[in-house]
Amino acid sequence: MTGGPATRLTLVVAVAENGVIGRGDELPWHISGDLKRFRAITWGKPILMGRRTFQSIGRPLPGRTSIVITRDAGFAAPEGVLVVASLEAALESGAAEAARLGVDEMAVVGGAQIYAQAIARAQLLRLTQVHARPEGDVHFPPFDLAEWRETYREGPIKGEKDEYAFSFIDYERA
């Protein structure tokens, strides 16, 4: 990532109180407010994700460049989706795409393995704390909160279309 301003790496995730982020290939909740925030944070930026996360979404998200990380050489992505074999390749592609788009940020949006690989390199963590303990088999990796400084908090919030109450919490690497 050379030649011009550095591209910030942001992790965007909704995490339940028990660390759950998924159940199978789905979110274990429906929270309209989180989906709106996700769209606002990621709009116009490269989004990096694992193949299973991409397949669970089912399509490229409009207004964003999807970069899918997979070791499956036979994975056929739709037109416009960049496919790479490693996080390192995704970071290089994401930085180039961010420069092309004129933005200074790319976002990791899942899943657990990609979050685990990327968290040590991230500058921002934009977390939706789901105030519930749903069943799930996909968890956000443990991380040391002492390495982060809270910069924003809103909530708890619970709209009429939200299954659970939630809070938005942003962290910046300390």
Side-chain angles (χ1 to χ4, degrees):
M1 293 190 291
T2 60
T7 305
R8 270 188 324 211
L9 182 63
T10 299
L11 272 53
V12 183
V13 63
V15 183
E17 292 169 348
N18 56 358
V20 166
I21 60 172
R23 181 171 44 233
D25 288 335
E26 298 182 351
L27 293 174
W29 49 70
H30 178 76
I31 300 175
S32 179
D34 176 56
L35 296 174
K36 288 176 184 160
R37 182 178 199 238
F38 176 87
R39 184 176 195 256
I41 290 170
T42 61
W43 191 262
K45 299 173 186 155
I47 55 174
L48 288 55
M49 68 193 86
R51 176 189 49 80
R52 288 179 55 198
T53 298
F54 178 78
Q55 289 174 322
S56 74
I57 295 169
R59 62 185 170 81
L61 293 173
R64 289 149 276 202
T65 302
S66 295
I67 301 172
V68 177
I69 304 162
T70 181
R71 292 183 298 268
D72 179 355
F75 176 67
E79 189 175 330
V81 174
L82 303 174
V83 179
V84 297
S86 67
L87 176 64
E88 192 62 42
L91 294 172
E92 289 175 20
S93 293
E97 187 63 13
R100 186 186 74 77
L101 295 168
V103 297
D104 66 353
E105 183 178 33
M106 58 184 147
V108 171
V109 300
Q113 290 179 8
I114 306 302
Y115 286 133
Q117 292 175 41
I119 196 162
R121 300 175 81 157
Q123 290 86 36
L124 296 170
L125 174 57
R126 306 213 46 199
L127 189 134
T128 299
Q129 178 69 63
V130 179
H131 300 296
R133 301 179 76 75
E135 292 292 318
D137 57 354
V138 184
H139 294 82
F140 193 69
F143 66 100
D144 185 356
L145 204 50
E147 295 177 7
W148 299 87
R149 178 176 55 85
E150 185 176 314
T151 59
Y152 176 81
R153 179 179 291 260
E154 179 184 351
I157 305 161
K158 186 172 189 301
E160 61 182 51
K161 294 181 179 179
D162 300 324
E163 189 173 351
Y164 300 114
F166 59 94
S167 297
F168 296 138
I169 310 167
D170 290 351
Y171 296 98
E172 195 172 271
R173 188 161 301 277

